[in-house]
Amino acid sequence: LRALLSLKESRAFYYALISTVNRYAVSSVPTAGVTHNTLVYNPKFVASLHEAEFVFLLVHEVMHMSLLHHSRR
């Protein structure tokens, strides 16, 4: 939650993108991943990250969605 607030304050564009997607904590994913409208992340992995690392992860994953990388498979 703190990472989302940090993202909202420092990178509002990316926050606007990430706030429109479904987000689920799942232990079956080793780190994180996305589909066209869903972000899944491993809560243990996320808990091991510093806030700045988690913000980067969120931006990284939302850019996969924005650039339609999921449609290239």
Side-chain angles (χ1 to χ4, degrees):
L1 180 61
R2 189 181 340 197
L4 286 174
L5 294 175
S6 176
L7 192 60
K8 183 178 182 180
E9 293 172 359
S10 64
R11 295 174 180 87
F13 173 75
Y14 297 109
Y15 176 80
L17 294 175
I18 201 77
S19 66
T20 65
V21 303
N22 300 311
R23 296 180 301 272
Y24 299 103
V26 293
S27 58
S28 60
V29 174
T31 56
V34 294
T35 65
H36 70 284
N37 67 348
T38 303
L39 166 69
V40 294
Y41 60 91
N42 184 307
K44 287 183 181 180
F45 172 73
V46 168
S48 74
L49 301 176
H50 295 284
E51 182 180 327
E53 293 172 319
F54 188 38
V55 168
F56 175 84
L57 175 73
L58 293 172
V59 170
H60 175 87
E61 295 301 335
V62 80
M63 288 308 296
H64 280 303
M65 299 167 99
S66 299
L67 297 171
L68 304 177
H69 288 174
H70 60 277
S71 66
R72 296 182 184 173
R73 288 186 171 213

